[in-house]
Amino acid sequence: MSAALLTIEDVAVELPTPRGNLRAVDHVDLSLEAGRTLGIVGESGCGKTMLSRAVLQLLPKKARLTGRVMFDGQDLVRLDAERLRRLRGRDLAVVFQDPMTSLNPVLTIGTQLMETIQEHLELDVSAARKRSIELLAAVGIPAPEQRLAQYPHQCSGGMRQRIAIAIALSCEPKLLIADEPTTALDVTIQAQILDLLAREQRRRHMAMIIITHDLGVVAGRADEVAVMYAGRVVERAPTQALFKRMHMPYTEALLAAIPKLDAAPHTPLPAISGRPPDPTRPLKGCSFAPRCRYAASRCHEAKPDLKSAERPDHLYACFHPIQMAEGIGA
Amino acid sequence: MLNFVVRRLLAMLPVLLAVSLLTFLIASLLPGDLALVILGDQATPENVAALRRDMGLDQPLWWRYLSWLGHVLQGDLGRSFRTGQTVLQAVAERIPVSLQLMLMAEFIGLLIGVPVAIACAARAGGAFDRVMTGSAFAMLSMPSFLVAILLIYLFAVELHWLPATGYVPFTEAPLANLRFFVLPALTLALAEWPGIMRVLRSDMIATLQEDYIALAKAKGLKPARILFVHALKPSSLTLVTVTGINIGRLLGGTLIVESIFALPGIGRLLVGAIYTRDLVILQGVVLLVACGFVIVNFIVDMLYAVLDPRIRHGHA
Ligand SMILES: Nc1ncnc2c1ncn2[C@@H]1O[C@H](COP(=O)(O)OP(=O)(O)OP(=O)(O)O)[C@@H](O)[C@H]1O
Ligand code: SF4
Ligand SMILES: [Mg+2]
């Protein structure tokens, strides 16, 4: 096993709100090796975006972050602004959820691509231009040269997300974080974008964190899956192992929700009745207890720890794990 | 784009027509008989009646409007019965002064307002932001004649840095001309920058919350590039509108400022016309000024299209 490229150590994010302190991320530990893919899965509001923003150091100003984010041997939380800036876009790249809002409406696509390249790589204008055209071609944009002079509103949603991916890939990052990169897109385009990400990842040997509310997206695409609920990681395992045998009732519920692929973003999962707990009012027991069909009295009194049982790499936080008779192929 | 320009031009026509009607009505409905004003107190009723007939004042209002509009469309806005000067001559003589004053005022206003707004938005809620928002509010409540007097006292009377009043054309003595303009322009600018600053600041703060700014940070761009390239342009649409509307307010401001600083501009012409009841000049000048205002707003619309490609391509 090589040393991890990214380790998230005991990261917690708190946001002050009028209703009180909101714990968006609740002491999460994760790690990722170079070239590998981690899937983070959970329903809306469980803290996936806040966790990714904590890694990128792009949290809202008022947010309080504790813990360590070790990336490539440095703690991003304590890194000074200038060194962080040189790292972002170059070694650490991101694709946001909504391509309609993540590109600047008043700058051309060429400007938005070339500025990143020229910021981090020593290339003159014509070389940066050439590289931009290659990148657009690589992400499947037809007539890339003409696109450079266009503005985002002249492209479809799928095109914009491809452009956002081209920007993210432009400096050969070591880690790409894709935060629900397909949720805002048509179902027909979702698979194309996911395949594009997988292909470019293999080609460039970069690590990737793919965030989604859809277990189906990470099946077969991620090496490892972390399931999040109410700010915590509640189950974590290599993808194969997870799909063979899932232990958390919440993971099971997520699996049942997969056919609803085209549900609108930021909506609660229909397959699981009820909503996640109010993050400003943490529960004493397991945060899934009010919705869990296996819940027993102990579940309401104490929080289950995240720990492993039969396999050291399969962790889960549940007092009454499900014992599945047969696994589901990944 | 051409389509856009033509559409906007056509939309101006009804506005201009309404402006002409309003101007005409205001001047015609002012109390007092123009013929009586011209002839003075000693005029006999017969003389007055004759002059009224000559000037068409005995015709119905709508007829007078149409015939006035007809003349205006041929470029004849009438002539002052006091000086004999035509409206166009009088305006042409004075417009450079007022334009220079307004441009310098707007320029100084932007020079103060824009950097302050950016600095405030970059650290919204910080000490600098709070102090500047407070001062902007204080400046807004200062009447311009008071500002003018304070500036004259400080820079002309106490420090002797600048002349208090007077004017020479730029073509004769550029430097002296600029020195005469500094204090009046500054007076107007001090009333302008708070509006500029507040509008741009709040738009910048909103823009800085956008996803694309988060992405710009995630791309590792320099903070200055994020502020000036990624945030300033999409935030400046309202600023452009406000700058356009400000021209109207500035025109009002020139009335006072040109009088205080003895600048021979449109404002002074208008004030003079009001005092001497020179209705032809009054009517003509107001009409030209109003048309100028409409044209400025047309230019603002065009600037929108330059700033926002979505408008240019007819998406918004
Ligand atoms: N700017 C903010 N200020 C205060 N609270 C926030 C802010 N952004 C998110 N939150 C809260 O933090 C919690 C976690 O939100 P987060 O956006 O990380 O969820 P998510 O898992 O990404 O959900 P989604 O699938 O909807 O994107 C939620 O309870 C949300 O309401
Ligand atoms: S701990 Fe109890 S409530 Fe929580 S998931 Fe497991 S069984 Fe359900
Ligand atoms: Mg999210």
Side-chain angles (χ1 to χ4, degrees):
Chain A
M1 266 205 178
S2 56
L5 173 68
L6 174 79
T7 41
I8 298 172
E9 296 170 16
D10 202 28
V11 162
V13 176
E14 283 197 357
L15 292 154
T17 70
R19 306 201 48 231
N21 242 349
L22 185 153
R23 175 153 292 179
V25 179
D26 194 0
H27 301 286
V28 165
D29 291 278
L30 285 172
S31 73
L32 180 62
E33 283 160 36
R36 314 261 299 168
T37 306
L38 170 69
I40 298 181
V41 190
E43 73 191 294
S44 190
C46 68
K48 307 182 297 290
T49 297
M50 283 297 143
L51 179 62
S52 70
R53 297 278 171 126
V55 172
L56 291 161
Q57 301 298 306
L58 281 178
L59 288 167
K61 267 205 195 85
K62 54 188 196 284
R64 275 194 307 275
L65 167 65
T66 56
R68 293 207 303 171
V69 177
M70 299 301 294
F71 176 75
D72 219 5
Q74 0 189 26
D75 183 0
L76 298 185
V77 180
R78 276 145 205 102
L79 205 59
D80 68 81
E82 181 57 22
R83 305 237 323 257
L84 184 66
R85 185 181 73 70
R86 294 216 188 125
L87 212 76
R88 283 182 185 153
R90 188 194 178 109
D91 294 332
L92 185 58
V94 63
V95 175
F96 286 145
Q97 176 168 336
D98 189 355
M100 299 318 238
T101 57
S102 61
L103 297 176
N104 193 318
V106 303
L107 299 177
T108 62
I109 287 151
T111 306
Q112 299 189 53
L113 251 170
M114 284 164 62
E115 67 181 357
T116 321
I117 296 170
Q118 289 194 284
E119 184 67 55
H120 298 294
L121 311 176
E122 252 123 63
L123 291 181
D124 59 18
V125 178
S126 68
R129 210 184 125 80
K130 193 162 156 277
R131 191 181 171 90
S132 303
I133 295 171
E134 286 165 7
L135 280 161
L136 288 181
V139 297
I141 301 240
E145 265 189 273
Q146 281 90 297
R147 283 285 167 192
L148 289 184
Q150 292 190 341
Y151 290 91
H153 71 268
Q154 291 168 294
C155 308
S156 68
M159 284 287 177
R160 290 193 210 189
Q161 199 63 305
R162 284 171 194 271
I163 291 161
I165 292 172
I167 292 173
L169 296 176
S170 63
C171 301
E172 305 282 339
K174 291 179 184 158
L175 171 64
L176 173 70
I177 299 179
D179 184 357
E180 305 202 39
T182 59
T183 314
L185 301 177
D186 278 357
V187 195
T188 47
I189 298 168
Q190 294 187 355
Q192 292 174 20
I193 297 287
L194 291 168
D195 292 343
L196 166 68
L197 281 170
R199 192 185 73 216
E200 292 303 315
Q201 177 194 20
R202 269 196 306 279
R203 247 183 44 189
R204 293 161 204 267
H205 193 71
M206 66 182 181
M208 183 156 80
I209 295 179
I210 183 146
I211 295 174
T212 171
H213 59 243
D214 182 358
L215 261 180
V217 163
V218 294
R221 289 197 177 90
D223 300 302
E224 197 185 17
V225 176
V227 178
M228 278 186 83
Y229 187 71
R232 291 182 76 198
V233 172
V234 292
E235 183 158 15
R236 188 179 141 197
T239 315
Q240 301 276 344
L242 184 79
F243 279 93
K244 206 167 277 161
R245 165 159 258 196
M246 45 189 60
H247 292 302
M248 259 296 285
Y250 178 64
T251 315
E252 182 193 49
L254 276 181
L255 191 67
I258 287 187
K260 291 264 162 276
L261 234 180
D262 49 353
H266 303 289
T267 49
L269 292 174
I272 320 172
S273 61
R275 306 188 124 266
D278 180 346
T280 59
R281 307 270 182 278
L283 300 176
K284 195 166 113 220
C286 170
S287 29
F288 192 53
R291 304 167 76 187
C292 179
R293 54 193 175 111
Y294 307 98
S297 62
R298 189 177 169 206
C299 304
H300 294 279
E301 254 114 64
K303 254 192 207 319
D305 286 332
L306 182 68
K307 55 181 194 306
S308 58
E310 65 267 35
R311 286 178 64 129
D313 56 357
H314 192 152
L315 305 158
Y316 55 89
C318 181
F319 292 128
H320 307 287
I322 315 163
Q323 307 298 329
M324 268 194 196
E326 291 158 55
I328 301 162
Chain B
M1 183 70 194
L2 190 68
N3 202 335
F4 176 78
V5 176
V6 171
R7 268 204 326 263
R8 289 299 147 109
L9 274 173
L10 285 177
M12 272 167 60
L13 285 181
V15 178
L16 288 175
L17 210 63
V19 162
S20 73
L21 184 62
L22 264 174
T23 322
F24 177 80
L25 284 178
I26 290 168
S28 315
L29 298 179
L30 278 180
D33 190 329
L34 185 55
L36 202 64
V37 173
I38 293 174
L39 293 175
D41 295 344
Q42 271 84 48
T44 62
E46 293 76 37
N47 284 348
V48 171
L51 186 59
R52 283 180 62 92
R53 222 172 12 259
D54 282 355
M55 293 175 66
L57 287 177
D58 53 345
Q59 303 289 328
L61 199 61
W62 62 269
W63 176 258
R64 273 158 50 206
Y65 170 65
L66 285 185
S67 90
W68 174 73
L69 191 62
H71 281 109
V72 167
L73 287 179
Q74 293 164 41
D76 171 17
L77 281 92
R79 79 177 52 236
S80 162
F81 54 82
R82 289 193 188 277
T83 62
Q85 234 184 356
T86 67
V87 171
L88 286 181
Q89 278 170 345
V91 168
E93 224 169 64
R94 288 165 169 84
I95 202 122
V97 178
S98 294
L99 275 183
Q100 187 182 352
L101 176 60
M102 289 194 293
L103 282 178
M104 281 181 66
E106 198 63 49
F107 181 73
I108 299 174
L110 289 168
L111 208 64
I112 304 172
V114 172
V116 170
I118 294 173
C120 285
R123 295 220 189 291
F128 181 77
D129 182 31
R130 285 202 303 272
V131 168
M132 288 326 271
T133 315
S135 345
F137 198 71
M139 278 322 281
L140 271 183
S141 47
M142 287 264 273
S144 58
F145 71 86
L146 191 65
V147 174
I149 290 167
L150 289 176
L151 287 179
I152 291 176
Y153 179 74
L154 185 64
F155 291 106
V157 179
E158 283 294 316
L159 296 170
H160 299 286
W161 287 358
L162 293 160
T165 60
Y167 169 76
V168 284
F170 186 78
T171 44
E172 274 172 31
L175 208 65
N177 163 281
L178 288 179
R179 280 167 56 83
F180 277 124
F181 270 99
V182 170
L183 288 183
L186 193 59
T187 304
L188 288 175
L190 286 179
E192 285 307 305
W193 78 265
I196 291 169
M197 184 287 233
R198 278 159 37 133
V199 164
L200 184 60
R201 173 186 172 275
S202 72
D203 279 8
M204 279 285 273
I205 288 175
T207 303
L208 290 174
Q209 308 288 325
E210 295 281 350
D211 255 14
Y212 56 80
I213 298 297
L215 188 66
K217 287 181 192 159
K219 294 201 297 190
L221 302 180
K222 296 200 175 72
R225 186 169 173 93
I226 295 176
L227 276 180
F228 289 97
V229 179
H230 280 258
L232 184 57
K233 208 174 155 197
S235 308
S236 41
L237 285 184
T238 328
L239 177 67
V240 170
T241 319
V242 167
T243 310
I245 294 171
N246 276 356
I247 304 283
R249 263 209 355 217
L250 275 177
L251 270 168
T254 56
L255 292 190
I256 298 163
V257 169
E258 285 177 1
S259 301
I260 295 178
F261 291 94
L263 288 174
I266 297 284
R268 269 255 303 256
L269 178 66
L270 212 53
V271 172
I274 292 168
Y275 281 139
T276 59
R277 314 212 45 147
D278 199 336
L279 288 188
V280 179
I281 293 282
L282 185 64
Q283 200 174 34
V285 171
V286 171
L287 179 71
L288 287 177
V289 166
C291 290
F293 190 52
V294 172
I295 289 166
V296 165
N297 278 298
F298 170 75
I299 296 172
V300 166
D301 274 0
M302 295 295 109
L303 270 182
Y304 270 19
V306 172
L307 282 173
D308 192 336
R310 285 166 299 183
I311 297 175
R312 200 164 25 191
H313 298 125
H315 278 255

